[in-house]
Amino acid sequence: MTKTKLSLLMLSLTLPGYSVADELREMQKNPDTWVMSAGDYANTRYSQLSEINLDNVQDLKMAWSFSTGVLRGHEGNSLIIDDVMYVHTPFPNIVFALDLNNDGAIKWKYEPKQNYDETVPVMCCDVVNRGLSYGDGKIFLNQADTTLVALDIETGEVIWSDKRDDPRTGATNTGNANVFKDKIIVGISGGEFGVRGYVQAYDMNGKTLYKAYSTGPDDEMMVDPQNTTAMLQPIGKDSSLNSWQGEQWKIGGGTTWGWFSYDPDMDLYYYGTGNPSTWNPLQRPGDNKWTMSLFARDLDTGVAKWIYQMTPHDEWDYDGVNENILVDQKIKGKMRQMLVHFDRNGFGYTMDRATGELLVAEKFDPSVNWADSVSLKTGLPDRVAKYSPAANGEDTQTTGICPAAHGAKDQQPATFSPKTGLFYVPTNHICMDLEPFEVEFVAGQPYVGAEVNMYPATKDNMGNFIAWDAREGKIVWSNPERFSVWSGAMVTAGDVVFYGTLEGYIKALDAHNGRELWRFKTASGIVGNVNSYKHNGKQYISILSGIGGWAGIGMTNNLENDSDGLGAVGAYKSLSNWTSLGGVLSVFSL
Amino acid sequence: MTKTKLSLLMLSLTLPGYSVADELREMQKNPDTWVMSAGDYANTRYSQLSEINLDNVQDLKMAWSFSTGVLRGHEGNSLIIDDVMYVHTPFPNIVFALDLNNDGAIKWKYEPKQNYDETVPVMCCDVVNRGLSYGDGKIFLNQADTTLVALDIETGEVIWSDKRDDPRTGATNTGNANVFKDKIIVGISGGEFGVRGYVQAYDMNGKTLYKAYSTGPDDEMMVDPQNTTAMLQPIGKDSSLNSWQGEQWKIGGGTTWGWFSYDPDMDLYYYGTGNPSTWNPLQRPGDNKWTMSLFARDLDTGVAKWIYQMTPHDEWDYDGVNENILVDQKIKGKMRQMLVHFDRNGFGYTMDRATGELLVAEKFDPSVNWADSVSLKTGLPDRVAKYSPAANGEDTQTTGICPAAHGAKDQQPATFSPKTGLFYVPTNHICMDLEPFEVEFVAGQPYVGAEVNMYPATKDNMGNFIAWDAREGKIVWSNPERFSVWSGAMVTAGDVVFYGTLEGYIKALDAHNGRELWRFKTASGIVGNVNSYKHNGKQYISILSGIGGWAGIGMTNNLENDSDGLGAVGAYKSLSNWTSLGGVLSVFSL
Ligand SMILES: O=C(O)c1cc(C(=O)O)c2c(n1)C(=O)C(=O)c1cc(C(=O)O)[nH]c1-2
Ligand SMILES: O=C(O)c1cc(C(=O)O)c2c(n1)C(=O)C(=O)c1cc(C(=O)O)[nH]c1-2
C-alpha cells in the first residue's frame, strides 16, 4: 500500500466530510507534494515551503538532473507524489516515473504511439504538452493526438484510453487533463485550423459525461439562456449564434487549450476560450461569442454559470485561455471571492468568481495600445481605430499594434502569494504589424488569414517579470527581461519567487521588491513552470528546460523568415545566440 | 588580439628555441586552459589545478549547463582557450564556441552539412565524435563523413576543408584530429566494413603530407624493413603481406579510430590499429599484421620507428586503438621513457617508447581468460584454446570468453598523476559468447562474420574503476561499478580523480585509495571525458553527458535483441532504467 493510499484511508476515517472522490482537495494541502499542474485547484502555484527563503536562496545548487531524451519545447512541470516524480515530454509525450529515493532512476516509462504525420504538422505552436495529472491512483496523460490515457501510477500500464478527436481535422491537444474532484476535464487545440472549441468531462473510468462547446446553439454550449449570465445579465437565447454570420461558428475556433481552475466549494470550474477563426476579422463579422471568453461551469452538470468575453470580435489573436487564479482578498474594504486573469489582450481582470462581476480591468504592460481601457460597466474594451485591422481593411498592414499576437502574456502561468497578497506575472513586451487577407477554409489546413511580424516593444526588452496588485490593478514592481518570460512562475512561503527565461536561466527574486537573489543557467531555454516539493525533509525546486513553444518555434522548426511561425521568428531570432534545443529536468536544493 | 596570440608573440620573443609551430607545446603547460583532447601531447589528462582538492571536493556544485540540441552518444570533451569553450556534438557534428565571460552564451556555431543516409548507417558503434582540436588560430573538426574542416577560431568560418574518404565504402570518422607541432594527423573508422586503416598527415593549410596504411606493401605502410623494428628487431621485407592470405589485407581492417599521443623531443607519435576484418578469424589465416598493433611514427617523415602487435590473428575484436600514455618513471631502479597502454585484450602494457621494448604486460581485469600471459621476450600472448573461436571452428559458439568484444577497456581514456605515480583506468568487466560464420565482402556492407552475446563478468558489476601501477603491472585499488565505465577520467594536482558512469553520475575519488568523495547525477549517461580549466581565477570541472557509444547503442538505436548492436544490447539492457538520451555539458565549481 502506498503512502497516498494509506493517508487517504486515514483521512476518510478521520474526516468523514471528505470522500475518496475529494482526495485531491486534501492532497494539494500537503506542501511536500505537487499533485496537479498548478499545485492547487485555485492555480496559485504557491508553495507553503520555506526552507529555501530570502536568507539562503543564493546558496541554492543543482541536486540532480534528468534528460528526457526529447528535444523541442518542454512546457508544464512535473508532479511529485509519494517519493516519485512524474515527468512528461512534448510529442511523442513520453511519461517517466522517477524514483526520488534513488536519485531519479526510472521506475517506469510510458511511450505512446502516435501518428507523427497526422499530428505534428497541425500543431500551431510547437509540439508542447503542459503536463500530467493525478487522480484515483492513475496518472492521466493528454496526448497531442487528443487521446486521453489513464496510466496505473505504480506500473505505468494503460488502464483506459480514449481518442476523442481527429488530428486530420486540425484538432490536437497541448493542455493537461484537469482532475477536479471525481471528474476529468479536457480541452482542445486547433484555433488556427478552424476547430470548434469545447470542453469534455470524463469520469475516472473513462466514460464521457458531457461535452460543452464554446460556440453554437445553446444546448451544445450547455448554457441556460435565463440562468447563465454575462456581466450579471442573462445571456438570452442564441447568444452565440446571434453573434456570427451564417455558419461561420462551425469553423469559428474558440478552442480551450489553456489552464483550468476549480472552486470546490462553489463546484465551479473556470477556463478561457481562444481566438475566433480565421484571424482575418473581416471574414467573421459580429462579436463571435463565446470565443475570447471566460467560462464558469458547474462541474457536475457542465452548465455555464457565467461567461465574460474579454475581446469581442477579436482582430489580433488575443486568445482568452490564460489561467484564472482564485483567491479571496479585500477590495475597497470588502472581502471578495476573486478570479484574477491576465489576458493576452494586455488587461489584468479581477472578477467576482461566483457571479462574473467585473471588479477591475487594467493594463499590466505599459505598451498595450489596441484599447485605451475596459469599461467595468459594459465589460467592453475601448478600441483605438489606428490599431484595428478590421477598421483598416483587408490587405492593409496595420502597424505598431501592442501587444503582438503572443499577447502581453501567453500560456506562461502567474503565481500568487497569500503572504504578500501579490500576483507575480511573466509577461511579454512585444508589438506587431498585422495584415489580414481572405482565406478559404479547408479542413485540416491552416486557417489563419493574416501575415504577422512581431518585434520588441522596447529595444532589448521583450518581456518583464512583474508583481501585480489585483485589488487595484497596479504594477507593484517590474523587472525587465531580454526576452518574453515564457516560463510559469512559483512563489513560496519563503517569500521568494522563481521563474525561468528563454535564455535558460532560472531566477529567484525577492517577492517584496523584485530584487534578483540568484540565477542559474540551465541546459536550454525555459518554457516550463517552476514547482517545489520536499523529499526526506529537504525542499527541492524543479524546472523543465527545453526551448520551444510559440516563442521558440524558429529554433524548434528551423524557420528563417521573420514572418514564419505565425510571425514569431523575427522577434526571437537572437535566441539562438543564447541557447540550444534540449529537454532536461533540473532539480535544486540547498 | 586575443590572449593566445599575445602570449605566443611574447613567447617567441623570449624563448627563441620555440617557433610558433610549437605553440601547443607551450599552451598545454598552462593549466587554466584545455587545449587538446587529452590535455597534453602525452595523453595524461592530468590537471595541475588544485583549488578543488581532497578537502573540498564534496562541496562541488554545478555552475552552469548547456544542451547541445543533439541526442545520442557524446564522447570526448570540450576545449577551453582564452575564455571560450569549444563544444562538439555527435553526428551532425555541430561545433559551439561558448563565451565563458557570458555564462556560456553562444559566440558562434558551425553546423556542417553531411549526408545522413550515406554516413550514419555505416557507423558501427553509434555516431560519436571524440572531439575538436586547436592549432594555428583554427579549430579542427573531424566529421563523421571523413571531412576534415579548419574553422576560424574567432568566427567559426570555414578556412579550409578536405573530404578524404568515402562513407559509401564504409569509411567514416569518429576520432578527433590530432595537432602535433605543425601537423594534423587523422585516422579512419570502418573495421566492421573491411576498410583498410591508415593515418593521414596534413599541414596547417590543408595540404596532405603523407598517408600511411596499417597493412599492405612496405611503401604504402611507410615502414622501413631494416630500420622499423618490432620487439627490437627489424621487421623485414613485406612483414604485413607475409602475414595475410592472398589479398585479404586490402579488406583487412586495422583502422585507426582511437587516441593519438606525441613525444615532441623524439618527434614520434603513437597510435594503435583496430581489428582485422572480418571478425571471423577462419577467413583470414595468418598474423594479420599490422592490425591490433601499436605504431610509433616519425611526425615529419611519417616512417614507422617501431611497431608492436598485441593480438596477432585476432579472434575477438580486441582493437588495439586505445590511448598510449607517455610518462617517465623508474622501473627496477632505472628511469624509463615509458608508453603505457591498456589494451582491449585485457593486458596493460608498459613499453619503452623510444625503442618499442616491452617492459611489462599484465592483466588489468581479473576476469581476462583468453590468454594466460604475455611473454616479454616474444611479445606473444599465451592463448587458451578453450576460448579460441579459431580453434573451435566456424558455426560453433565459443562461450565464456573474457573480456567481451568491448575489451577490458574500450576507447574511454585513462589518466596519469605524476604526484601519485599511478594510472586511473575506466574498465569493462564483461564476457561474451562468440560464433564466427562465413561472410562475403561487399563494399559498404557490414563485414562482421560473427554473432556475439555479451554479459557481465560478475553479476551487477560490469565495470571497475581502477588505479594501476604501470611499473609493476599491478592493480593498486579497484572500485566496482554497476556498468562498464565508458567515460574518460581525469586526475588533478588536488589528488582527486574524476570520471563519469553510464547511469549519468560524475564521481570524484580520492586518488590515493579510491574512496568516493562526491557524486552528482547529470542529465544523461556519460560516455564523455572529464576536463578542467580556470576562468577568472576559479577552477571548473566539465563533462559531456549523453548516453551512447557502443555500450549505449541499444538505447540510441532502439535495439531490442540481445545480440543486436554487435552483441552489446543484452548486457546493457538495464541501462534504460537509469537514464535517457541526452546531450548536455555540465560545468562544476566550488
Ligand atoms: O488557437 C489554438 O488552438 C491555439 C493552440 C495553442 C496550443 O495548443 O499550443 C496555442 C495557441 N492557440 C496560441 O494562440 C498561442 O499563442 C500559443 C502559444 C503556445 C505555446 O505553447 O507557446 N501555444 C499556443
Ligand atoms: O573497427 C573500427 O573501425 C571501429 C570503429 C569504432 C568507432 O569509430 O567508433 C569503434 C570500433 N571499431 C570498436 O571496435 C569499438 O569497440 C568501438 C567503441 C566505440 C565507441 O565509441 O563506443 N567505437 C568503436
Side-chain angles (χ1 to χ4, degrees), chain A residues 39-216:
Chain A
D40 55 26
Y41 282 156
N43 275 39
T44 65
R45 293 180 184 272
Y46 173 72
S47 167
Q48 296 166 48
L49 300 177
S50 59
E51 180 193 328
I52 297 164
N53 55 47
L54 291 176
D55 293 334
N56 59 22
V57 65
Q58 69 281 353
D59 298 329
L60 215 52
K61 51 179 193 281
M62 203 192 273
W64 55 280
S65 60
F66 176 77
S67 171
T68 66
V70 179
L71 302 173
R72 306 188 65 160
H74 281 60
E75 289 187 354
N77 50 259
S78 63
L79 303 183
I80 296 99
I81 305 167
D82 282 351
D83 296 345
V84 178
M85 180 184 279
Y86 301 89
V87 177
H88 68 287
T89 76
F91 191 95
N93 305 138
I94 300 171
V95 183
F96 294 96
L98 304 183
D99 184 355
L100 297 179
N101 291 326
N102 200 1
D103 281 356
I106 300 168
K107 183 180 170 188
W108 54 257
K109 174 181 174 181
Y110 173 72
E111 180 162 359
K113 300 211 186 325
Q114 301 184 77
N115 187 319
Y116 182 99
D117 293 329
E118 264 178 36
T119 311
V120 170
V122 292
M123 299 186 78
C124 74
C125 308
D126 194 13
V127 295
V128 297
N129 184 288
R130 292 191 196 86
L132 303 169
S133 50
Y134 166 79
D136 194 27
K138 306 177 185 87
I139 293 292
F140 298 101
L141 166 68
N142 208 5
Q143 294 176 195
D145 69 357
T146 77
T147 305
L148 176 63
V149 191
L151 302 172
D152 184 301
I153 195 168
E154 289 300 330
T155 64
E157 269 155 43
V158 175
I159 297 177
W160 57 261
S161 84
D162 185 46
K163 185 156 184 215
R164 67 184 194 279
D165 215 320
D166 186 355
R168 286 170 301 184
T169 67
T172 57
N173 178 77
T174 60
N176 60 319
N178 301 280
V179 181
F180 297 142
K181 201 173 58 176
D182 56 352
K183 297 193 176 53
I184 309 159
I185 310 289
V186 293
I188 194 76
S189 295
E192 278 59 54
F193 295 82
V195 169
R196 182 180 168 211
Y198 60 86
V199 292
Q200 186 164 354
Y202 288 86
D203 72 11
M204 291 295 180
N205 299 317
K207 192 180 139 213
T208 293
L209 302 173
Y210 59 80
K211 193 168 169 179
Y213 285 91
S214 308
T215 58

Side-chain angles (χ1 to χ4, degrees), chain A residues 75 123-130 170 172-175 188-193 195 253-258 273-277 279 317-319 321-322 344 405-407 409-412 454 486 527 548-552 566:
Chain A
E75 289 187 354
M123 299 186 78
C124 74
C125 308
D126 194 13
V127 295
V128 297
N129 184 288
R130 292 191 196 86
T172 57
N173 178 77
T174 60
I188 194 76
S189 295
E192 278 59 54
F193 295 82
V195 169
T255 51
T256 48
W257 58 276
T273 59
N275 62 289
S277 314
W279 287 14
D317 189 41
Y318 293 155
D319 296 47
V321 304
N322 292 350
R344 284 258 281 267
H406 280 178
K409 177 181 161 306
D410 203 290
Q411 61 77 35
Q412 56 271 36
M454 304 188 196
W486 215 263
V527 296
W550 194 2
L566 300 170

Side-chain angles (χ1 to χ4, degrees), chain B residues 352-398:
Chain B
D352 182 308
R353 71 177 175 275
T355 63
E357 183 188 347
L358 183 56
L359 304 173
V360 177
E362 296 293 339
K363 295 179 182 179
F364 62 88
D365 185 88
S367 69
V368 175
N369 66 12
W370 70 278
D372 282 331
S373 61
V374 170
S375 160
L376 295 186
K377 230 188 186 125
T378 63
L380 295 176
D382 181 16
R383 291 171 197 228
V384 176
K386 187 174 161 199
Y387 301 115
S388 165
N392 295 335
E394 269 177 9
D395 305 321
T396 304
Q397 195 184 49
T398 300

Side-chain angles (χ1 to χ4, degrees), chain B residues 289-361:
Chain B
K289 283 177 182 165
W290 293 98
T291 67
M292 302 306 207
S293 302
L294 297 185
F295 275 80
R297 286 193 187 271
D298 184 279
L299 179 67
D300 295 324
T301 66
V303 174
K305 175 110 191 279
W306 58 260
I307 318 176
Y308 169 60
Q309 190 178 42
M310 284 80 65
T311 314
H313 189 62
D314 167 67
E315 314 172 39
W316 310 272
D317 189 42
Y318 293 156
D319 295 46
V321 305
N322 291 351
E323 75 285 1
N324 299 292
I325 305 177
L326 315 181
V327 306
D328 297 345
Q329 288 188 298
K330 255 193 199 147
I331 300 188
K332 293 186 189 129
K334 196 181 151 195
M335 203 65 186
R336 304 292 309 225
Q337 296 177 303
M338 290 156 54
L339 170 158
V340 176
H341 170 82
F342 301 93
D343 199 66
R344 285 258 281 266
N345 72 15
F347 287 88
Y349 296 86
T350 306
M351 307 188 72
D352 182 308
R353 71 177 175 275
T355 63
E357 183 188 347
L358 183 56
L359 304 173
V360 177

Side-chain angles (χ1 to χ4, degrees), chain A residues 61-69 71 96 102-103 105-106 505 520-524 576-582 584, chain B residues 61-69 71 96 102-106 505 520-523 576-582 584:
Chain A
K61 51 179 193 281
M62 203 192 273
W64 55 280
S65 60
F66 176 77
S67 171
T68 66
L71 302 173
F96 294 96
N102 200 1
D103 281 356
I106 300 168
Y505 290 104
F520 181 91
K521 183 96 186 276
T522 68
S524 179
S576 61
N577 298 336
W578 290 97
T579 194
S580 191
L581 298 190
V584 175
Chain B
K61 51 180 192 279
M62 205 192 270
W64 55 281
S65 61
F66 175 77
S67 171
T68 66
L71 303 173
F96 294 95
N102 201 0
D103 282 356
I106 300 168
Y505 290 105
F520 181 91
K521 184 96 186 273
T522 67
S576 62
N577 298 337
W578 289 96
T579 194
S580 191
L581 297 190
V584 176

